[in-house]
Amino acid sequence: MKTLKFRNSNEEVEVGKLVCVGRNYVKHAEELGNEVPEFPLIFLKPASSLISPEANIIHPEYSTEMHHEVELVLYIGETIKNADDRLAEEAIKGYAVGLDMTLRDVQSNLKKKGHPWTIAKCFDTSAVISEIVEKSEYRLKGDERISLSVNDEEKQNSKLDTMIFSPVNIVKYISTIMTLEKGDLIYTGTPEGVGRVNRGDIISASIENIAEFKINVL
Ligand code: MG
């Protein structure tokens, strides 16, 4: 069983499902040659893919192009289905910094064939999460800076208010498709600047006022 860690609480919560949003920043959709979506594009990762920054990201052998994607992660703290704005906001109980590691070469081949992205997105160590900051401690303003460096060289640097779909709209939409439950995590998409990481690299990820961490790629 994998459990989530909270900054100032010893509560242990079992990890549920990881729901990820693709193409949620205009400039990132453009850099990959994708259309800006009308509805959030969602996909899943298994709880088994999740690690904390104390672990290492393991580069799979079947790819030569693993990309970093830094993302705001929403922690869902109660069960919701078909939520309205108020219930969606209330269900978001905390925030974290996450990495949605992606095998871009594998994903591009799958996309061309119209196949699911599973082996490009769901491998072990493909999801990283910081400690969770509960909303009772910090309430997201929405314009916090989100950034990522590889070996101290800045690669991604944007603000959360350049998202296409806001956290509330994402949660509302997902709750029309699947019930969200305590322990579920929502990866809200990455800003522009994604790129390759190699074995031996050190990734630094941060969101202003939420968390920052470093993690190794092996
Ligand atoms: Mg992503």
Side-chain angles (χ1 to χ4, degrees):
M1 181 180 90
K2 297 218 177 193
T3 53
L4 296 168
K5 287 187 189 144
F6 297 84
R7 177 162 299 162
N8 285 321
S9 156
N10 293 323
E11 189 184 2
E12 290 209 339
V13 176
E14 188 175 351
V15 180
K17 56 187 168 293
L18 281 58
V19 188
C20 306
V21 180
R23 305 172 194 170
N24 197 26
Y25 290 79
V26 173
K27 287 182 185 164
H28 172 60
E30 287 172 355
E31 75 182 345
L32 294 183
N34 293 315
E35 286 176 14
V36 174
E38 195 177 335
F39 296 98
L41 172 72
I42 61 172
F43 61 94
L44 297 172
K45 288 191 185 228
S48 55
S49 67
L50 190 69
I51 56 170
S52 75
E54 289 80 54
N56 300 306
I57 295 169
I58 309 296
H59 196 313
E61 296 287 339
Y62 60 90
S63 166
T64 57
E65 195 185 7
M66 181 161 67
H67 276 197
H68 53 77
E69 296 190 357
V70 64
E71 310 200 357
L72 170 70
V73 182
L74 311 175
Y75 163 63
I76 300 297
E78 59 190 41
T79 300
I80 49 166
K81 175 70 184 168
N82 293 324
D84 59 15
D85 281 34
R86 183 180 63 83
L87 289 175
E89 182 62 56
E90 283 176 12
I92 302 169
K93 299 292 192 203
Y95 315 100
V97 181
L99 296 177
D100 164 22
M101 301 305 295
T102 302
L103 306 177
R104 195 71 68 201
D105 51 350
V106 175
Q107 185 193 33
S108 297
N109 282 328
L110 294 167
K111 275 159 76 173
K112 268 184 228 153
K113 293 175 184 164
H115 291 172
W117 299 353
T118 306
I119 67 169
K121 287 283 195 180
C122 302
F123 56 94
D124 291 349
T125 77
S126 65
V128 183
I129 190 168
S130 69
E131 285 182 324
I132 294 166
V133 177
E134 290 177 276
K135 202 194 266 172
S136 52
E137 292 194 26
Y138 181 75
R139 202 172 177 94
L140 202 69
K141 294 198 294 284
D143 63 351
E144 289 81 355
R145 191 154 288 284
I146 178 168
S147 61
L148 178 143
S149 301
V150 179
N151 304 328
D152 290 328
E153 188 180 329
E154 189 173 270
K155 302 289 185 184
Q156 295 185 272
N157 187 348
S158 189
K159 292 182 97 179
L160 297 179
D161 59 6
T162 61
M163 281 185 184
I164 298 167
F165 301 103
S166 69
V168 163
N169 282 330
I170 291 168
V171 170
K172 265 172 61 177
Y173 174 73
I174 296 171
S175 82
T176 67
I177 310 290
M178 61 188 90
T179 300
L180 289 169
E181 300 168 295
K182 181 171 181 166
D184 288 349
L185 299 172
I186 298 176
Y187 282 65
T188 59
T190 196
E192 67 279 9
V194 301
R196 182 182 295 192
V197 293
N198 298 300
R199 294 183 183 88
D201 285 347
I202 299 173
I203 300 172
S204 308
S206 121
I207 297 177
E208 187 184 1
N209 299 328
I210 303 290
E212 57 184 354
F213 62 78
K214 287 181 188 288
I215 187 164
N216 297 295
V217 180
L218 298 182

